[in-house]
Amino acid sequence: MKTFYDCIPCFLRQALDAARLATSDETIHERVLHEALRVAAEMDLRQSPPAMAQQIHRAIREWTGKNDPYLEIKNRFNSMALELYPVMQGWMADSDQPLETAMRLAIAGNVIDLGVKTRLKEGEVRESILNAMSAPLEGDIGEFTSAVRRADEILYLADNAGEIVFDRLLIEQLKPAKVIVAVRGFPIINDATLEDAKEAGIDAVADVMENGSDAPGTILRDCNESFCDCFNRADLVIAKGQGNYETLSEESRDIFFLLKVKCPVVAKHTGCQEGTMLLTRTAI
Amino acid sequence: MKTFYDCIPCFLRQALDAARLATSDETIHERVLHEALRVAAEMDLRQSPPAMAQQIHRAIREWTGKNDPYLEIKNRFNSMALELYPVMQGWMADSDQPLETAMRLAIAGNVIDLGVKTRLKEGEVRESILNAMSAPLEGDIGEFTSAVRRADEILYLADNAGEIVFDRLLIEQLKPAKVIVAVRGFPIINDATLEDAKEAGIDAVADVMENGSDAPGTILRDCNESFCDCFNRADLVIAKGQGNYETLSEESRDIFFLLKVKCPVVAKHTGCQEGTMLLTRTAI
């Protein structure tokens, strides 16, 4: 997906949020904002939004000297999700359709996206989870179920910290396929890294790999060789969240995307209302 | 009030909104966005947000050839407010405290601010009006009442189209003082102009003057002489909305501001939550 004009104000807001998380030094906030304006003015709109965000967040790290401004927030949402986990395990145990229930919970967890909304409240996550069981899920669940059942090897592209705890419920339902969970190679916004995957216990239920990139999405030319091999080899790719959708929606292999639609640009691109729980796939 | 970093993403969003209202030509949308990025990168943050918006909207008018992109929206909100007017007149007739009731309705009408929110729905205006009677009104109403009762000549700085219909209820309560209502000199966003004042019937209850400026606020050095004379001469100045607050809050004369707090920057500057109905005054 290309970058739309509406993404530009959002990048600037995100840059300012990240700069403030990294430092209280206002001169650095101003430098970051000016750098973001410069990047925005020179950008190539044919790039995806995460490619642009990648550039801006690199500048923020360089100028603030903070490698991971969202670390505290990531830890907070991991803890929160782990507290909710036993409750959700109970729902899973009671479910007649555990794959669908797990899909719904994994999509509900995608609300934990600090790129879209920095001041996300824990209550909003709880609300998303509570609504997940009854809210409409757009997409062909039967098609997804068949693809899962046919696959011997599934590559699961994680999205955010906290959210990855919810992903674990779905990953467990993908068996007997061998599941490989890919996380970002470096900290970027609140995207899940290897530490978050371990914190969520993903390594107990699947193989975990880093994709080698610091983009808040999956830019294949930026990922390491072992990730790309796995991406090309897997029978099925499941990609979580807007960042992975924005970077992979036009790829020429079959990918199922699971996401909560959280901004007007993705809403328009997918043809869904904001707030929609969405299962969609590449048009191949 | 100076421009804060958080205003920048908001200006860009506003520029894009205005460009889209003015034309469907995407090449112009891109030019406007780039011009807005350039203005933002070179801006002097000591200027108020309306001074910056003034520059951006001038560029939009020049490039689109549209002098008044918000005309249709202004007419729509004028009509809507005029439809609600008889209901509100009924509330005024039933009120034991007509000055406070009129203040509340005038502040509620300040929700019609397309600079803050382009896709404002008519239902949101109705909700604002319905809540206006019971929601807390921050500020010293007694102080305001005394100032009104002491004044022989009151200058009332209108804010937006549609909203100016609600202002009429308050203007009628300011008698027996002579009231002069000032509107913008040229179309800017959805701010009220002479046409809107006439549409609202303000000319039947007060004198109406244009301030000579195309800023979405009151930048005194940009206003015409007769406006400045009146501003200096009036016993009392009442200023509606965020734009007038942002441009006049540090003036060295007594001004009462009536507004609905609608953005995080004004919320922080006034020390109020977003959504607050606020009466405040210059610190002199």
Side-chain angles (χ1 to χ4, degrees):
Chain A
M1 188 183 105
K2 67 171 189 152
T3 296
F4 289 81
Y5 302 140
D6 304 78
C7 300
I8 311 298
C10 195
F11 287 138
L12 295 172
R13 194 252 322 135
Q14 198 183 100
L16 205 46
D17 286 342
R20 285 175 174 151
L21 284 174
T23 173
S24 59
D25 183 343
E26 288 225 352
T27 58
I28 292 181
H29 301 168
E30 185 166 1
R31 276 185 75 185
V32 166
L33 188 62
H34 271 98
E35 173 69 1
L37 286 165
R38 193 191 59 71
V39 171
E42 292 169 5
M43 75 194 162
D44 175 0
L45 285 174
R46 290 166 302 181
Q47 290 188 95
S48 67
M52 172 107 174
Q54 182 185 34
Q55 286 182 64
I56 291 172
H57 286 272
R58 280 180 183 169
I60 292 167
R61 289 198 294 271
E62 186 187 326
W63 285 354
T64 62
K66 286 270 177 73
N67 190 44
D68 194 359
Y70 292 81
L71 181 62
E72 193 185 320
I73 293 181
K74 289 192 289 184
N75 288 339
R76 183 153 56 84
F77 281 105
N78 279 333
S79 301
M80 185 211 172
L82 285 167
E83 277 170 32
L84 291 170
Y85 194 70
V87 179
M88 294 188 294
Q89 277 185 308
W91 294 354
M92 289 299 301
D94 293 343
S95 175
D96 295 334
Q97 295 181 309
L99 183 65
E100 182 180 335
T101 301
M103 282 171 74
R104 288 177 171 275
L105 291 169
I107 296 173
N110 184 236
V111 79
I112 309 174
D113 182 340
L114 280 297
V116 173
K117 192 170 187 184
T118 312
R119 288 171 211 82
L120 182 73
K121 296 195 177 75
E122 295 189 3
E124 292 174 78
V125 179
R126 287 197 188 86
E127 197 183 329
S128 178
I129 304 302
L130 289 171
N131 288 339
M133 293 302 123
S134 55
L137 196 169
E138 291 286 329
D140 191 333
I141 298 172
E143 201 177 61
F144 177 76
T145 307
S146 305
V148 167
R149 296 297 164 237
R150 276 198 310 271
D152 292 319
E153 187 177 78
I154 298 174
L155 173 64
Y156 191 101
L157 309 182
D159 192 12
N160 297 315
E163 176 182 351
I164 197 169
V165 174
F166 300 82
D167 290 329
R168 183 175 164 177
L169 299 162
L170 178 54
I171 290 162
E172 288 180 336
Q173 295 300 318
L174 301 178
K175 290 173 183 172
K178 172 185 165 69
V179 184
I180 299 147
V181 176
V183 292
R184 311 298 182 224
F186 301 92
I188 175 76
I189 320 178
N190 70 320
D191 288 36
T193 60
L194 198 55
E195 287 69 35
D196 302 304
K198 286 179 180 167
E199 182 75 15
I202 301 294
D203 51 348
V205 295
D207 290 349
V208 181
M209 77 185 316
E210 293 177 298
N211 70 4
S213 162
D214 64 346
T218 303
I219 301 173
L220 290 173
R221 64 171 188 286
D222 203 48
C223 292
N224 60 31
E225 202 180 325
S226 49
F227 174 83
C228 291
D229 285 349
C230 186
F231 182 84
N232 292 323
R233 185 186 67 226
D235 300 312
L236 172 61
V237 175
I238 300 173
K240 280 292 304 290
Q242 288 196 169
N244 287 325
Y245 175 81
E246 290 167 16
T247 43
L248 293 172
S249 66
E250 279 134 35
E251 276 303 311
S252 57
R253 74 150 289 161
D254 199 15
I255 304 170
F256 281 88
F257 299 97
L258 294 177
L259 65 151
K260 191 142 179 155
V261 176
K262 293 182 294 285
C263 81
V265 169
V266 171
K268 197 170 174 190
H269 198 260
T270 57
C272 295
Q273 301 264 314
E274 279 180 64
T276 301
M277 304 212 303
L278 179 64
L279 162 68
T280 184
R281 67 194 291 190
T282 41
I284 52 157
Chain B
M1 189 183 104
K2 67 169 189 151
T3 296
F4 289 80
Y5 301 141
D6 304 79
C7 300
I8 312 298
C10 195
F11 287 138
L12 294 173
R13 194 255 322 138
Q14 198 182 100
L16 205 46
D17 285 343
R20 285 174 175 152
L21 283 174
T23 173
S24 59
D25 183 341
E26 289 225 351
T27 58
I28 293 181
H29 301 167
E30 185 166 2
R31 278 185 73 183
V32 166
L33 188 62
H34 270 97
E35 173 69 0
L37 286 165
R38 194 192 57 72
V39 170
E42 292 169 5
M43 74 191 162
D44 175 0
L45 284 175
R46 289 166 301 181
Q47 290 188 96
S48 66
M52 171 108 173
Q54 182 184 35
Q55 285 181 64
I56 291 172
H57 286 272
R58 279 180 184 169
I60 293 168
R61 289 198 293 272
E62 187 187 323
W63 284 354
T64 62
K66 285 270 176 72
N67 190 45
D68 193 359
Y70 292 80
L71 181 61
E72 193 184 319
I73 292 179
K74 289 193 287 186
N75 288 338
R76 183 153 56 85
F77 281 104
N78 278 334
S79 300
M80 186 213 172
L82 286 166
E83 276 170 31
L84 291 170
Y85 194 70
V87 178
M88 294 187 294
Q89 276 185 309
W91 294 353
M92 289 299 301
D94 293 342
S95 174
D96 295 333
Q97 296 182 307
L99 184 65
E100 181 180 336
T101 301
M103 281 172 76
R104 288 178 171 275
L105 291 170
I107 295 172
N110 185 235
V111 78
I112 309 174
D113 183 340
L114 280 297
V116 173
K117 192 172 185 180
T118 312
R119 288 172 210 83
L120 182 75
K121 296 195 174 77
E122 295 190 3
E124 292 174 76
V125 179
R126 287 196 188 88
E127 196 183 328
S128 177
I129 304 304
L130 288 171
N131 289 339
M133 292 303 122
S134 56
L137 197 168
E138 290 287 330
D140 190 333
I141 298 171
E143 201 178 62
F144 177 76
T145 307
S146 304
V148 167
R149 295 298 164 237
R150 278 197 310 271
D152 292 320
E153 187 177 78
I154 298 175
L155 174 63
Y156 191 102
L157 310 183
D159 191 12
N160 297 315
E163 176 181 352
I164 198 169
V165 174
F166 300 81
D167 291 327
R168 185 175 164 177
L169 298 162
L170 177 54
I171 291 162
E172 288 180 337
Q173 295 299 318
L174 302 178
K175 289 173 186 172
K178 172 184 166 70
V179 183
I180 300 148
V181 176
V183 292
R184 312 295 183 225
F186 301 91
I188 174 77
I189 319 181
N190 70 318
D191 288 34
T193 61
L194 197 55
E195 287 67 36
D196 302 303
K198 287 181 180 166
E199 183 75 14
I202 302 294
D203 52 346
V205 294
D207 290 349
V208 181
M209 77 184 317
E210 294 176 298
N211 70 3
S213 163
D214 63 347
T218 303
I219 300 173
L220 290 171
R221 63 172 191 285
D222 202 50
C223 291
N224 60 32
E225 201 180 328
S226 48
F227 174 84
C228 291
D229 286 348
C230 187
F231 182 85
N232 293 323
R233 184 185 69 227
D235 302 310
L236 173 60
V237 175
I238 301 172
K240 280 293 303 289
Q242 289 197 169
N244 286 324
Y245 174 81
E246 289 166 17
T247 43
L248 293 172
S249 65
E250 278 133 36
E251 276 303 311
S252 58
R253 74 149 290 161
D254 199 17
I255 304 170
F256 281 88
F257 299 97
L258 294 176
L259 65 151
K260 189 143 180 154
V261 176
K262 293 180 297 280
C263 81
V265 169
V266 171
K268 195 170 175 190
H269 198 259
T270 58
C272 295
Q273 300 265 311
E274 280 180 66
T276 301
M277 305 212 302
L278 179 64
L279 163 68
T280 185
R281 68 194 290 191
T282 42
I284 53 156

